[in-house]
């Protein structure tokens, strides 16, 4: 009897009871079905996932560039000197003001500088008043626009700016108003073809200076160009180069850098210096101060606060784009369910349960969004490295990457659920007849 | 009694479209024994499609009872009906309904997949079935690459892959030319000769000539239930 060999009618005694039957569709099978559907229309799948791709890429790239530039700024802030207080002209500003130069009117006088210098010698490691102006630097026929800073020898330690070759100018140079200069890296490369210029002459404005030292390459940290700096004695600067900045009868400076001996004393010293200058300027009301004392730690803190706000904003934008991407997925999945109504009908006729169909479409949507997340991840990392073109080294945070990725997967499940449940609820009779 | 594959008693089906009631079936009694091959005939609007859908567990009767293989399947839940369709019934449709993105072998595997049969066994059984309908050599072709007659053969292979109790064919030759129709009918005859119970829904008298038993439906009732000597199928 051939019925044994061939798929013929079962005899009743060899049959199991229906509900006890093992099985249903296994996960691998579901995955294969979904994968085939995605590969079946590659262009549409890419377009569907595009929202998620862009969303994830945006989060990863923007946060990496954001933290990269924060790290860069933090590093350059710290390289400006440690335990640093900066006394500037202008009313105090709160939040982020430390990066901006003082107001137009210079109010810090040399008398203030003296007062600071004698105020608390054991708490202060160094004082370096400074004034600056943009001057043409000339050697032979070549020239460039240099930032000439008049200051004291303490600048070397207070601003963490040691020389690369030669030596810093001395207190004698300041006292004698000598025309000596320490030049930045770009002066060496552009005006001396990279040769050590110590002992050579350089014209700053109309005044000839002798170069006694050079500064190392400080890179372009985003605060003007420190490589185009020329440091000269403050006294020489005031006599020969400044445009006679004065307050009353007293000569003024742009700012005064003060290095505290002890890091923990920084805030107290900041308050004490503020009180001192208030007495010097005879101002009692804090709201009418014409100077301010910036603390490096404050600047860092406000920078961090700014960065955090930015990160939040980026996160919000990315979240929105992921939601939009999810709606894109839902949209296409709805179209796809309608288009594949017949397929759904056939599958149901062949034994697919509503659950099987639900899982199939849900897995398809999730695969799309997870795939989109992966592509977005790669794209985001690639885009972040574009930041190196503007000297920002991207910093990737595993947490951000993980969250962006997990979120994209969730988006697929969330927005895939409605189309999938619609597919699952389709009536087999209607869907088989669907043209 | 136990050799009854299906048994319908006083089956009624009423559709409600808006406020209008339409009674598609008005009390159908039908018994099909194991190993039978019968044609379910009737003009359009006779209720034969509705009857097919109820037999195929795609739809449920409003009144009456339906025993499939001795088990009452009248009031199964949706999931239970899906399982019963998967296990007990092999569908062959007029428009073939192969899944366009799957190759022939994968198409035949579909019901086995939903039965939870492991991949290796699935493949083997599907290949066996494709071989049975003479298309094993095209196992990796897509449905778009084969002719209509071949598609219907694949559909038959798919219908039988899960070793169902009943092969239910809805106008299986409706989209085929005469010669190919004859081949498909010959295949059904052959399968029936091997013990498969076959129910063919058709409105073509030519097709009904192949089956020993012909059940005619009209206005929601069984009009006649006759047996005659079937025409021999063309050998393929």
């Amino acid at each position: 009897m051939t019925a044994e060999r061939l798929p013929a009618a079962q005899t009743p005694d060899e049959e199991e009871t229906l509900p006890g039957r093992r099985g249903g569709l296994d996960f691998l099978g579901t995955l294969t079905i979904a994968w085939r559907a995605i590969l079946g229309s590659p262009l549409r799948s890419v377009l569907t996932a595009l929202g998620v791709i862009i969303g994830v890429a945006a989060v990863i790239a923007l946060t990496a560039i954001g933290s990269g530039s924060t790290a860069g700024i933090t590093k350059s802030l710290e390289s400006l000197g440690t335990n640093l207080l900066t006394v500037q002209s202008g009313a105090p500003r709160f939040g982020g003001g430390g990066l901006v130069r003082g107001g137009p009117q210079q109010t810090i006088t040399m008398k203030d500088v003296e007062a600071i210098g004698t105020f608390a010698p054991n708490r202060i490691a160094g004082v370096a008043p400074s004034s600056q102006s943009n001057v043409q630097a000339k050697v032979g026929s070549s020239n460039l626009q240099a930032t000439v800073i008049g200051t004291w020898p303490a600048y070397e330690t207070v601003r963490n700016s040691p020389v690369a070759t030669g030596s810093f100018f001395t207190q004698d140079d300041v006292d004698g108003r000598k025309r000596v200069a320490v030049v930045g890296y770009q002066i060496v490369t552009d005006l001396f073809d990279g040769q050590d210029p110590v002992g050579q002459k350089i014209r700053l404005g109309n005044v000839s200076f002798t170069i006694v030292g050079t500064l190392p390459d400080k890179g372009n940290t985003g605060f003007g160009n420190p490589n185009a700096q020329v440091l000269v004695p403050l006294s020489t600067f005031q006599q020969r180069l400044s445009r006679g900045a004065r307050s009353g009868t007293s000569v003024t400076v742009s700012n005064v850098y003060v290095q505290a001996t002890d890091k923990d004393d920084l805030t107290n010293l900041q308050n004490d210096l503020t009180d001192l200058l208030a007495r010097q300027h005879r101002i009692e009301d804090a709201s009418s101060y014409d100077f301010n004392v910036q603390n490096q730690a404050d600047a860092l803190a406000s920078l961090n606060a700014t960065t955090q706000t930015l990160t939040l904003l980026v996160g919000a934008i990315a979240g929105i784009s992921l939601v939009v991407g999810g709606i894109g997925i839902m949209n296409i999945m709805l179209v796809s369910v309608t288009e594949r109504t017949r397929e759904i009908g056939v599958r149901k006729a062949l034994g697919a349960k509503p659950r099987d169909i639900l899982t199939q479409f849900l897995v398809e949507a999730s695969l799309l969004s997870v795939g989109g997340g992966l592509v977005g991840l790669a794209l985001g990392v690639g885009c972040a490295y574009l930041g190196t073109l503007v000297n920002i080294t991207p910093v990737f945070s595993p947490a951000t990457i993980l969250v962006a990725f997990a979120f994209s997967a969730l988006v697929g499940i969330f927005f895939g659920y409605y189309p999938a449940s619609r597919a699952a609820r389709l009536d087999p009779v209607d869907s088989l007849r669907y043209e | 009694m136990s050799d009854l594959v299906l048994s319908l008693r006083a089956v009624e089906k009423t559709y409600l479209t808006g406020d209008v009631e339409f009674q598609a079936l008005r009390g159908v009694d039908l018994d099909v024994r194991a190993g039978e091959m019968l044609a379910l005939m009737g003009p359009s609007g006779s209720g034969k499609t509705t009857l097919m859908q109820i037999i195929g567990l795609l739809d449920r009767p409003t009144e009456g009872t339906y025993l499939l293989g001795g088990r009452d399947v009248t009031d199964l839940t949706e999931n239970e009906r899906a399982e019963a369709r998967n296990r007990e019934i092999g569908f062959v449709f007029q428009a073939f309904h192969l899944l366009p993105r799957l190759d022939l072998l994968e198409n035949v595997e579909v019901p086995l997949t939903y039965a939870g049969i492991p991949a290796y066994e699935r493949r083997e059984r599907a290949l066996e079935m494709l071989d049975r309908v003479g298309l094993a050599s095209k196992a990796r072709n897509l449905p778009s690459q084969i002719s209509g007659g071949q598609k219907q053969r694949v559909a038959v292979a798919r219908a039988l892959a899960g070793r169902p109790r009943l092969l239910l064919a809805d106008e299986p030759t409706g989209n085929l030319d005469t010669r190919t129709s004859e081949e498909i009918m010959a295949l059904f005859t052959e399968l029936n000769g091997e013990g498969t119970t076959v129910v063919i829904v058709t409105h073509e008298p030519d097709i009904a000539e192949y089956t020993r038993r012909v059940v005619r439906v009209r206005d929601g009732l069984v009009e006649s239930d006759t047996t005659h000597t079937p025409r021999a199928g063309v050998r393929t």
Side-chain angles (χ1 to χ4, degrees), chain A residues 42-216:
Chain A
L43 178 65
R44 169 194 284 200
S45 302
V46 169
L47 288 177
T48 307
L50 200 58
V52 171
I53 293 177
I54 291 175
V56 171
V59 184
I60 305 238
L62 290 180
T63 52
I65 289 177
S67 24
S69 65
T70 310
I73 294 172
T74 307
K75 205 177 131 214
S76 66
L77 266 183
E78 280 165 351
S79 78
L80 294 180
T82 47
N83 301 351
L84 186 67
L85 293 176
T86 308
V87 181
Q88 290 175 314
S89 307
R93 280 167 301 227
F94 296 97
L99 300 179
V100 186
R101 301 229 179 272
Q105 186 75 40
Q106 290 192 0
T107 57
I108 312 293
T109 66
M110 289 307 285
K111 278 183 185 154
D112 295 335
V113 177
E114 274 169 43
I116 293 168
T118 54
F119 168 63
N122 55 336
R123 292 169 67 192
I124 293 173
V127 176
S130 84
S131 280
Q132 66 178 59
S133 111
N134 288 329
V135 166
Q136 199 176 52
K138 225 170 164 184
V139 173
S141 59
S142 31
N143 67 82
L144 63 77
Q145 194 70 17
T147 305
V148 177
I149 299 172
T151 186
W152 287 356
Y155 189 91
E156 184 177 9
T157 52
V158 171
R159 292 298 310 272
N160 187 24
S161 182
V163 291
T165 64
S167 59
F168 218 84
F169 54 80
T170 62
Q171 191 59 44
D172 286 347
D173 295 330
V174 176
D175 294 343
R177 293 179 185 172
K178 298 271 177 58
R179 288 174 288 152
V180 290
V182 174
V183 297
Y185 185 69
Q186 199 184 336
I187 313 279
V188 178
T189 55
D190 288 11
L191 302 186
F192 293 96
D193 295 328
Q195 303 294 312
D196 188 356
V198 172
Q200 307 274 339
K201 300 277 187 195
I202 186 169
R203 285 186 79 79
L204 301 173
N206 291 321
V207 189
S208 181
F209 282 76
T210 303
I211 296 172
V212 294
T214 66
L215 296 172

Side-chain angles (χ1 to χ4, degrees), chain A residues 1-3 5-12 14-26 29-30 32-33 36-41 340 342-357 360 424-429 432-433 435, chain B residues 2 5 15 34-35 49 53 58-59 69 71 76 78-80 82-89 91 93 95 97 99-103 106-107 110-111 113-118 121-122 128-129 132 142 158-165 193-197:
Chain A
M1 181 72 189
T2 44
R5 185 171 60 82
L6 282 158
Q10 291 168 335
T11 51
E14 74 177 349
E15 97 192 32
E16 325 141 45
T17 50
L18 272 185
R21 182 179 73 131
R22 171 184 61 94
L25 186 55
D26 57 340
T30 316
T32 315
I33 293 170
R36 296 294 293 249
I38 289 171
L39 287 190
S41 42
R340 282 147 71 188
R342 270 245 305 260
E343 176 188 330
I344 295 162
V346 173
R347 287 186 180 276
K348 284 199 162 183
L350 297 179
K353 293 173 196 163
R355 224 188 109 85
D356 295 327
I357 301 291
Q360 177 187 337
R425 284 198 310 264
L426 282 177
D427 180 65
V429 172
L432 275 173
R433 226 184 273 142
E435 291 299 326
Chain B
S2 68
V5 168
Y15 291 110
T49 303
Q53 286 160 354
L58 293 168
D59 210 343
R71 187 168 81 117
L76 293 187
E78 198 175 351
N79 278 337
E80 287 168 339
E83 275 188 18
R85 280 198 297 270
N86 180 250
R87 216 177 107 93
E88 313 263 349
I89 294 162
F91 284 98
F93 303 100
H97 285 340
L99 300 182
R101 278 192 290 263
L102 304 186
D103 66 35
E106 288 167 328
N107 261 288
V110 171
T113 311
Y114 289 119
I117 291 168
E121 195 187 335
R122 216 154 68 198
E128 194 182 305
M129 285 321 302
R132 175 67 192 80
L142 288 176
R158 179 177 68 181
L160 294 178
R163 294 172 190 159
R165 197 182 292 275
E194 289 162 3
T196 310
T197 312

